[in-house]
PDB file of all heavy atoms in Angstrom:
ATOM      1  N   ALA A   1       8.849  52.555 -32.039  1.00  0.00           N
ATOM      2  CA  ALA A   1       9.078  51.193 -32.542  1.00  0.00           C
ATOM      3  C   ALA A   1       8.843  50.158 -31.444  1.00  0.00           C
ATOM      4  O   ALA A   1       8.291  49.071 -31.694  1.00  0.00           O
ATOM      5  CB  ALA A   1      10.505  51.076 -33.076  1.00  0.00           C
ATOM      6  N   ILE A   2       9.231  50.478 -30.198  1.00  0.00           N
ATOM      7  CA  ILE A   2       9.074  49.536 -29.086  1.00  0.00           C
ATOM      8  C   ILE A   2       7.601  49.308 -28.761  1.00  0.00           C
ATOM      9  O   ILE A   2       7.168  48.178 -28.548  1.00  0.00           O
ATOM     10  CB  ILE A   2       9.835  50.051 -27.835  1.00  0.00           C
ATOM     11  CG1 ILE A   2      11.344  49.921 -28.053  1.00  0.00           C
ATOM     12  CG2 ILE A   2       9.418  49.292 -26.577  1.00  0.00           C
ATOM     13  CD1 ILE A   2      12.196  50.578 -26.971  1.00  0.00           C
ATOM     14  N   VAL A   3       6.805  50.392 -28.724  1.00  0.00           N
ATOM     15  CA  VAL A   3       5.395  50.237 -28.346  1.00  0.00           C
ATOM     16  C   VAL A   3       4.543  49.705 -29.493  1.00  0.00           C
ATOM     17  O   VAL A   3       3.468  49.156 -29.268  1.00  0.00           O
ATOM     18  CB  VAL A   3       4.797  51.575 -27.823  1.00  0.00           C
ATOM     19  CG1 VAL A   3       5.540  52.044 -26.589  1.00  0.00           C
ATOM     20  CG2 VAL A   3       4.776  52.648 -28.896  1.00  0.00           C
ATOM     21  N   THR A   4       5.026  49.865 -30.740  1.00  0.00           N
ATOM     22  CA  THR A   4       4.249  49.411 -31.899  1.00  0.00           C
ATOM     23  C   THR A   4       4.289  47.901 -32.036  1.00  0.00           C
ATOM     24  O   THR A   4       3.288  47.256 -32.350  1.00  0.00           O
ATOM     25  CB  THR A   4       4.765  50.066 -33.196  1.00  0.00           C
ATOM     26  OG1 THR A   4       4.704  51.480 -33.050  1.00  0.00           O
ATOM     27  CG2 THR A   4       3.935  49.632 -34.386  1.00  0.00           C
ATOM     28  N   ASP A   5       5.449  47.306 -31.770  1.00  0.00           N
ATOM     29  CA  ASP A   5       5.585  45.853 -31.953  1.00  0.00           C
ATOM     30  C   ASP A   5       6.716  45.351 -31.065  1.00  0.00           C
ATOM     31  O   ASP A   5       7.480  46.127 -30.498  1.00  0.00           O
ATOM     32  CB  ASP A   5       5.881  45.532 -33.424  1.00  0.00           C
ATOM     33  CG  ASP A   5       5.461  44.111 -33.782  1.00  0.00           C
ATOM     34  OD1 ASP A   5       5.076  43.362 -32.878  1.00  0.00           O
ATOM     35  OD2 ASP A   5       5.523  43.771 -34.975  1.00  0.00           O
ATOM     36  N   SER A   6       6.806  44.034 -30.969  1.00  0.00           N
ATOM     37  CA  SER A   6       7.848  43.401 -30.157  1.00  0.00           C
ATOM     38  C   SER A   6       9.067  43.142 -31.040  1.00  0.00           C
ATOM     39  O   SER A   6       9.001  42.354 -31.997  1.00  0.00           O
ATOM     40  CB  SER A   6       7.309  42.086 -29.579  1.00  0.00           C
ATOM     41  OG  SER A   6       8.286  41.443 -28.821  1.00  0.00           O
ATOM     42  N   HIS A   7      10.178  43.812 -30.741  1.00  0.00           N
ATOM     43  CA  HIS A   7      11.391  43.685 -31.544  1.00  0.00           C
ATOM     44  C   HIS A   7      12.589  43.400 -30.650  1.00  0.00           C
ATOM     45  O   HIS A   7      12.717  43.986 -29.575  1.00  0.00           O
ATOM     46  CB  HIS A   7      11.691  44.989 -32.308  1.00  0.00           C
ATOM     47  CG  HIS A   7      10.645  45.378 -33.294  1.00  0.00           C
ATOM     48  ND1 HIS A   7      10.447  44.711 -34.473  1.00  0.00           N
ATOM     49  CD2 HIS A   7       9.732  46.384 -33.273  1.00  0.00           C
ATOM     50  CE1 HIS A   7       9.470  45.292 -35.147  1.00  0.00           C
ATOM     51  NE2 HIS A   7       9.010  46.307 -34.435  1.00  0.00           N
ATOM     52  N   THR A   8      13.476  42.551 -31.109  1.00  0.00           N
ATOM     53  CA  THR A   8      14.765  42.421 -30.436  1.00  0.00           C
ATOM     54  C   THR A   8      15.623  43.635 -30.807  1.00  0.00           C
ATOM     55  O   THR A   8      15.325  44.353 -31.777  1.00  0.00           O
ATOM     56  CB  THR A   8      15.497  41.142 -30.862  1.00  0.00           C
ATOM     57  OG1 THR A   8      15.781  41.227 -32.272  1.00  0.00           O
ATOM     58  CG2 THR A   8      14.670  39.898 -30.574  1.00  0.00           C
ATOM     59  N   LEU A   9      16.708  43.842 -30.061  1.00  0.00           N
ATOM     60  CA  LEU A   9      17.600  44.961 -30.379  1.00  0.00           C
ATOM     61  C   LEU A   9      18.196  44.796 -31.774  1.00  0.00           C
ATOM     62  O   LEU A   9      18.384  45.779 -32.502  1.00  0.00           O
ATOM     63  CB  LEU A   9      18.727  45.044 -29.341  1.00  0.00           C
ATOM     64  CG  LEU A   9      18.479  45.991 -28.166  1.00  0.00           C
ATOM     65  CD1 LEU A   9      17.237  45.586 -27.390  1.00  0.00           C
ATOM     66  CD2 LEU A   9      19.686  46.031 -27.247  1.00  0.00           C
ATOM     67  N   TYR A  10      18.482  43.563 -32.156  1.00  0.00           N
ATOM     68  CA  TYR A  10      19.028  43.269 -33.486  1.00  0.00           C
ATOM     69  C   TYR A  10      18.049  43.756 -34.565  1.00  0.00           C
ATOM     70  O   TYR A  10      18.439  44.414 -35.535  1.00  0.00           O
ATOM     71  CB  TYR A  10      19.276  41.771 -33.608  1.00  0.00           C
ATOM     72  CG  TYR A  10      19.859  41.333 -34.922  1.00  0.00           C
ATOM     73  CD1 TYR A  10      21.230  41.451 -35.181  1.00  0.00           C
ATOM     74  CD2 TYR A  10      19.037  40.790 -35.913  1.00  0.00           C
ATOM     75  CE1 TYR A  10      21.759  41.049 -36.397  1.00  0.00           C
ATOM     76  CE2 TYR A  10      19.564  40.386 -37.129  1.00  0.00           C
ATOM     77  CZ  TYR A  10      20.932  40.523 -37.369  1.00  0.00           C
ATOM     78  OH  TYR A  10      21.457  40.127 -38.579  1.00  0.00           O
ATOM     79  N   GLU A  11      16.751  43.460 -34.362  1.00  0.00           N
ATOM     80  CA  GLU A  11      15.732  43.886 -35.331  1.00  0.00           C
ATOM     81  C   GLU A  11      15.550  45.404 -35.313  1.00  0.00           C
ATOM     82  O   GLU A  11      15.365  46.039 -36.360  1.00  0.00           O
ATOM     83  CB  GLU A  11      14.406  43.186 -35.021  1.00  0.00           C
ATOM     84  CG  GLU A  11      14.441  41.683 -35.260  1.00  0.00           C
ATOM     85  CD  GLU A  11      13.288  40.944 -34.599  1.00  0.00           C
ATOM     86  OE1 GLU A  11      12.696  41.478 -33.634  1.00  0.00           O
ATOM     87  OE2 GLU A  11      12.996  39.812 -35.037  1.00  0.00           O
ATOM     88  N   LEU A  12      15.586  45.982 -34.107  1.00  0.00           N
ATOM     89  CA  LEU A  12      15.434  47.441 -33.987  1.00  0.00           C
ATOM     90  C   LEU A  12      16.547  48.194 -34.702  1.00  0.00           C
ATOM     91  O   LEU A  12      16.310  49.213 -35.353  1.00  0.00           O
ATOM     92  CB  LEU A  12      15.425  47.851 -32.513  1.00  0.00           C
ATOM     93  CG  LEU A  12      14.103  47.803 -31.746  1.00  0.00           C
ATOM     94  CD1 LEU A  12      14.334  48.154 -30.290  1.00  0.00           C
ATOM     95  CD2 LEU A  12      13.082  48.750 -32.372  1.00  0.00           C
ATOM     96  N   SER A  13      17.777  47.697 -34.576  1.00  0.00           N
ATOM     97  CA  SER A  13      18.910  48.390 -35.187  1.00  0.00           C
ATOM     98  C   SER A  13      18.741  48.445 -36.702  1.00  0.00           C
ATOM     99  O   SER A  13      19.075  49.452 -37.338  1.00  0.00           O
ATOM    100  CB  SER A  13      20.236  47.719 -34.809  1.00  0.00           C
ATOM    101  OG  SER A  13      20.356  46.460 -35.420  1.00  0.00           O
ATOM    102  N   HIS A  14      18.213  47.368 -37.304  1.00  0.00           N
ATOM    103  CA  HIS A  14      17.977  47.358 -38.752  1.00  0.00           C
ATOM    104  C   HIS A  14      16.796  48.259 -39.120  1.00  0.00           C
ATOM    105  O   HIS A  14      16.860  49.014 -40.095  1.00  0.00           O
ATOM    106  CB  HIS A  14      17.714  45.927 -39.227  1.00  0.00           C
ATOM    107  CG  HIS A  14      18.963  45.107 -39.348  1.00  0.00           C
ATOM    108  ND1 HIS A  14      19.578  44.536 -38.249  1.00  0.00           N
ATOM    109  CD2 HIS A  14      19.736  44.789 -40.416  1.00  0.00           C
ATOM    110  CE1 HIS A  14      20.663  43.887 -38.634  1.00  0.00           C
ATOM    111  NE2 HIS A  14      20.787  44.024 -39.949  1.00  0.00           N
ATOM    112  N   GLN A  15      15.731  48.164 -38.348  1.00  0.00           N
ATOM    113  CA  GLN A  15      14.531  48.943 -38.655  1.00  0.00           C
ATOM    114  C   GLN A  15      14.806  50.445 -38.563  1.00  0.00           C
ATOM    115  O   GLN A  15      14.326  51.233 -39.397  1.00  0.00           O
ATOM    116  CB  GLN A  15      13.409  48.565 -37.687  1.00  0.00           C
ATOM    117  CG  GLN A  15      12.111  49.312 -37.949  1.00  0.00           C
ATOM    118  CD  GLN A  15      11.036  48.938 -36.943  1.00  0.00           C
ATOM    119  OE1 GLN A  15      11.028  47.845 -36.418  1.00  0.00           O
ATOM    120  NE2 GLN A  15      10.127  49.862 -36.672  1.00  0.00           N
ATOM    121  N   LEU A  16      15.580  50.853 -37.562  1.00  0.00           N
ATOM    122  CA  LEU A  16      15.839  52.275 -37.326  1.00  0.00           C
ATOM    123  C   LEU A  16      17.113  52.769 -37.999  1.00  0.00           C
ATOM    124  O   LEU A  16      17.466  53.943 -37.908  1.00  0.00           O
ATOM    125  CB  LEU A  16      15.923  52.551 -35.820  1.00  0.00           C
ATOM    126  CG  LEU A  16      14.664  52.233 -35.015  1.00  0.00           C
ATOM    127  CD1 LEU A  16      14.950  52.265 -33.523  1.00  0.00           C
ATOM    128  CD2 LEU A  16      13.549  53.215 -35.366  1.00  0.00           C
ATOM    129  N   ASN A  17      17.818  51.817 -38.632  1.00  0.00           N
ATOM    130  CA  ASN A  17      19.084  52.147 -39.305  1.00  0.00           C
ATOM    131  C   ASN A  17      20.086  52.783 -38.330  1.00  0.00           C
ATOM    132  O   ASN A  17      20.732  53.792 -38.630  1.00  0.00           O
ATOM    133  CB  ASN A  17      18.833  53.076 -40.500  1.00  0.00           C
ATOM    134  CG  ASN A  17      20.013  53.090 -41.462  1.00  0.00           C
ATOM    135  OD1 ASN A  17      20.798  52.128 -41.507  1.00  0.00           O
ATOM    136  ND2 ASN A  17      20.164  54.166 -42.214  1.00  0.00           N
ATOM    137  N   LEU A  18      20.180  52.155 -37.148  1.00  0.00           N
ATOM    138  CA  LEU A  18      21.141  52.589 -36.122  1.00  0.00           C
ATOM    139  C   LEU A  18      22.116  51.454 -35.848  1.00  0.00           C
ATOM    140  O   LEU A  18      21.699  50.306 -35.704  1.00  0.00           O
ATOM    141  CB  LEU A  18      20.411  52.939 -34.812  1.00  0.00           C
ATOM    142  CG  LEU A  18      19.550  54.197 -34.788  1.00  0.00           C
ATOM    143  CD1 LEU A  18      18.768  54.255 -33.478  1.00  0.00           C
ATOM    144  CD2 LEU A  18      20.402  55.445 -34.939  1.00  0.00           C
ATOM    145  N   LYS A  19      23.391  51.760 -35.778  1.00  0.00           N
ATOM    146  CA  LYS A  19      24.369  50.740 -35.431  1.00  0.00           C
ATOM    147  C   LYS A  19      24.158  50.321 -33.973  1.00  0.00           C
ATOM    148  O   LYS A  19      23.704  51.113 -33.143  1.00  0.00           O
ATOM    149  CB  LYS A  19      25.781  51.261 -35.652  1.00  0.00           C
ATOM    150  CG  LYS A  19      26.111  51.450 -37.128  1.00  0.00           C
ATOM    151  CD  LYS A  19      27.545  51.891 -37.335  1.00  0.00           C
ATOM    152  CE  LYS A  19      27.845  52.037 -38.829  1.00  0.00           C
ATOM    153  NZ  LYS A  19      29.221  52.524 -39.061  1.00  0.00           N
ATOM    154  N   MET A  20      24.500  49.064 -33.675  1.00  0.00           N
ATOM    155  CA  MET A  20      24.221  48.513 -32.355  1.00  0.00           C
ATOM    156  C   MET A  20      24.819  49.345 -31.209  1.00  0.00           C
ATOM    157  O   MET A  20      24.127  49.613 -30.217  1.00  0.00           O
ATOM    158  CB  MET A  20      24.699  47.057 -32.269  1.00  0.00           C
ATOM    159  CG  MET A  20      24.187  46.315 -31.048  1.00  0.00           C
ATOM    160  SD  MET A  20      22.377  46.222 -30.963  1.00  0.00           S
ATOM    161  CE  MET A  20      22.052  45.078 -32.302  1.00  0.00           C
ATOM    162  N   PRO A  21      26.077  49.789 -31.300  1.00  0.00           N
ATOM    163  CA  PRO A  21      26.614  50.619 -30.199  1.00  0.00           C
ATOM    164  C   PRO A  21      25.809  51.907 -29.988  1.00  0.00           C
ATOM    165  O   PRO A  21      25.583  52.330 -28.852  1.00  0.00           O
ATOM    166  CB  PRO A  21      28.041  50.925 -30.652  1.00  0.00           C
ATOM    167  CG  PRO A  21      28.399  49.836 -31.596  1.00  0.00           C
ATOM    168  CD  PRO A  21      27.126  49.500 -32.305  1.00  0.00           C
ATOM    169  N   THR A  22      25.361  52.514 -31.091  1.00  0.00           N
ATOM    170  CA  THR A  22      24.571  53.753 -30.992  1.00  0.00           C
ATOM    171  C   THR A  22      23.209  53.469 -30.352  1.00  0.00           C
ATOM    172  O   THR A  22      22.745  54.198 -29.462  1.00  0.00           O
ATOM    173  CB  THR A  22      24.365  54.373 -32.386  1.00  0.00           C
ATOM    174  OG1 THR A  22      25.629  54.526 -33.023  1.00  0.00           O
ATOM    175  CG2 THR A  22      23.669  55.721 -32.299  1.00  0.00           C
ATOM    176  N   LEU A  23      22.557  52.387 -30.818  1.00  0.00           N
ATOM    177  CA  LEU A  23      21.255  52.011 -30.253  1.00  0.00           C
ATOM    178  C   LEU A  23      21.392  51.711 -28.755  1.00  0.00           C
ATOM    179  O   LEU A  23      20.569  52.153 -27.944  1.00  0.00           O
ATOM    180  CB  LEU A  23      20.698  50.793 -30.993  1.00  0.00           C
ATOM    181  CG  LEU A  23      19.363  50.244 -30.484  1.00  0.00           C
ATOM    182  CD1 LEU A  23      18.263  51.294 -30.591  1.00  0.00           C
ATOM    183  CD2 LEU A  23      18.972  48.975 -31.246  1.00  0.00           C
ATOM    184  N   ASN A  24      22.438  50.968 -28.391  1.00  0.00           N
ATOM    185  CA  ASN A  24      22.676  50.656 -26.978  1.00  0.00           C
ATOM    186  C   ASN A  24      22.859  51.914 -26.145  1.00  0.00           C
ATOM    187  O   ASN A  24      22.383  51.996 -25.004  1.00  0.00           O
ATOM    188  CB  ASN A  24      23.916  49.763 -26.828  1.00  0.00           C
ATOM    189  CG  ASN A  24      23.571  48.289 -26.895  1.00  0.00           C
ATOM    190  OD1 ASN A  24      22.558  47.870 -26.351  1.00  0.00           O
ATOM    191  ND2 ASN A  24      24.401  47.510 -27.568  1.00  0.00           N
ATOM    192  N   HIS A  25      23.532  52.892 -26.705  1.00  0.00           N
ATOM    193  CA  HIS A  25      23.752  54.168 -26.007  1.00  0.00           C
ATOM    194  C   HIS A  25      22.415  54.827 -25.655  1.00  0.00           C
ATOM    195  O   HIS A  25      22.209  55.283 -24.522  1.00  0.00           O
ATOM    196  CB  HIS A  25      24.593  55.090 -26.900  1.00  0.00           C
ATOM    197  CG  HIS A  25      24.713  56.486 -26.385  1.00  0.00           C
ATOM    198  ND1 HIS A  25      25.500  56.825 -25.300  1.00  0.00           N
ATOM    199  CD2 HIS A  25      24.119  57.648 -26.814  1.00  0.00           C
ATOM    200  CE1 HIS A  25      25.389  58.127 -25.073  1.00  0.00           C
ATOM    201  NE2 HIS A  25      24.569  58.651 -25.975  1.00  0.00           N
ATOM    202  N   TYR A  26      21.506  54.851 -26.642  1.00  0.00           N
ATOM    203  CA  TYR A  26      20.194  55.468 -26.402  1.00  0.00           C
ATOM    204  C   TYR A  26      19.363  54.636 -25.415  1.00  0.00           C
ATOM    205  O   TYR A  26      18.697  55.180 -24.522  1.00  0.00           O
ATOM    206  CB  TYR A  26      19.428  55.612 -27.720  1.00  0.00           C
ATOM    207  CG  TYR A  26      19.970  56.693 -28.631  1.00  0.00           C
ATOM    208  CD1 TYR A  26      20.424  56.400 -29.908  1.00  0.00           C
ATOM    209  CD2 TYR A  26      19.993  58.028 -28.207  1.00  0.00           C
ATOM    210  CE1 TYR A  26      20.918  57.396 -30.749  1.00  0.00           C
ATOM    211  CE2 TYR A  26      20.484  59.033 -29.035  1.00  0.00           C
ATOM    212  CZ  TYR A  26      20.946  58.707 -30.301  1.00  0.00           C
ATOM    213  OH  TYR A  26      21.426  59.711 -31.121  1.00  0.00           O
TER     214      TYR A  26
END
């Protein structure tokens, strides 16, 4: 997702269906 397009973490969490704390962990 990062290399495909420019996304904020907020957008990434929705796109990947990951909660923000989980996404931050990764």
